[in-house]
Amino acid sequence: MDQPSVWLEFSPLAKLTGSINLGQGFPDWAPPQFVQDAAVESVRGGHCSTYARSAGHPHLVQVLASEYSEQLNHKIDPNKEVIATVGASEALFLSITSFVKENDEVIIIEPAFDIYLGALKMAKAKVKSTSLDNELNLDWAHLESILNKNTKMLILNTPHNPSGKVFTQEELERLASILIKYPDCIVLSDEVYEHLVYDDNTHISFASLPEMFKRTITVSSAGKTFSTTGWKVGWAIGPQNLIKKLQFTQQWVVFSVSKPHQEAIANSLNEASKINYYDRLRNEYKEKRDLLFKGLKEAGLNPILPQGSFFILCDVSKISISKDNDMNDIQSWNSNGDIYCDSTTFNLHDYNFCRSLSIHHKVTAIPTSAFYLNKEDNTAWARFAFCKDEQTLLSAIENLKSI
Ligand code: PMP
Ligand code: GLN
């Protein structure tokens, strides 16, 4: 990989400029008490001394199988149809490297979480993209025009990072009806924000649609649901013939995942359903979304109300806050070499907007051209994360008033 990712520039830049980091999506609070307690117990309980089962700690895969059997409309076999991974990131990597070979065609829906692009590049895939428009709608005709019998995989992400779009039942059914014509196309469905859905929107797993389980790998993780992004416990669920390949690849990548953390997440999943945790989580996030949305609107940043996830996209295409010497300043401050800038982004509007926002207004956001195969295709949007405590959001809103 010849260029650094967007994360290697903007989190260090936030630190260096002392700006409020609404860039990278990690909650800035501790996991809930019952989740912390589960971890303490599992570390004390002797779960650490040996490797976990490579395909997933038995307790975790059992809990996942029972949780997802209803959601995916299929009775899931815990041993054959589930794998635990190092975050959803590893599940995505295993899925791509297990199935995509050099020159295989893969379709992504842009903007697309950048980690897909990295794995697809490593696999030497032939990537085709279709983009959401300004109203976050898919161009169905374009999608149909790029799908063909050589399409190996389509990557879906709902709720969607960075836009917060939640694909509706109607949209997913339409997608399924198109894919029926291409039975060899695997769907990699990234659903890590499955519990962060607001207002009247509902999360629907693509695999739950008729005939879709057998071709879909559903990926999720504990990171967003339990505010445990640092624990990196994720999973993939799907039919045996697909998951088996991931289980095989797993042995050659990380072999197995942290056992005490898997045990803790298994217990947390059990507990969460008993205490109505998911409704509370959604309500807390909705308040944060509404607060930041209002602040961004008042600052004139043209936010798009997200239906899910913990991100808000803003159309900053017509806002000019960049100064000529920003890039020089970053380079001169960067004596320790902590900040890595992708040299292909020096003239991109959204990158320069986000650089200036950090330097002059002390708020950090993410330029979303990083989520495109060809970054020049859309340099209009900046992404702000609201997975931050209320005081942090209020301080950021105050800083944004200086734009
Ligand atoms: N998919 C999406 C859409 C994400 O936003 C993230 C966030 N990091 C991931 C996957 C990776 O999740 P994890 O932290 O569990 O690896
Ligand atoms: N998914 C997070 C985000 O989009 C963190 C980035 C990452 O895991 N690489 O901000």
Side-chain angles (χ1 to χ4, degrees), residues 55-94:
H57 179 49
H59 187 194
L60 178 63
V61 294
Q62 266 157 25
V63 172
L64 289 170
S66 94
E67 294 253 327
Y68 281 89
S69 285
E70 194 179 334
Q71 185 171 326
L72 304 188
N73 213 0
H74 173 93
K75 173 128 187 49
I76 291 159
D77 181 324
N79 296 320
K80 298 183 174 144
E81 296 181 323
V82 183
I83 178 170
T85 53
V86 181
S89 304
E90 199 221 350
L92 294 163
F93 184 77
L94 289 179

Side-chain angles (χ1 to χ4, degrees), residues 22 63 69 126 137 161 164 193 211 243 265 297 318 324 365:
L22 305 189
V63 172
S69 285
K126 197 184 273 177
N137 290 317
N161 176 6
Y193 300 99
E211 295 298 306
I243 295 299
I265 294 301
K297 202 164 180 180
K318 301 209 171 60
D324 286 344

Side-chain angles (χ1 to χ4, degrees), residues 5 7 23-26 89 113-115 161 193 224 232 310-311 366 371 383 385:
S5 70
W7 318 108
Q24 194 169 9
F26 54 85
S89 304
F113 182 43
D114 70 337
I115 214 165
N161 176 6
Y193 300 99
K224 328 291 166 186
K232 295 296 276 189
F310 46 49
F311 304 115
I366 292 295
F371 288 41
R383 189 197 79 175

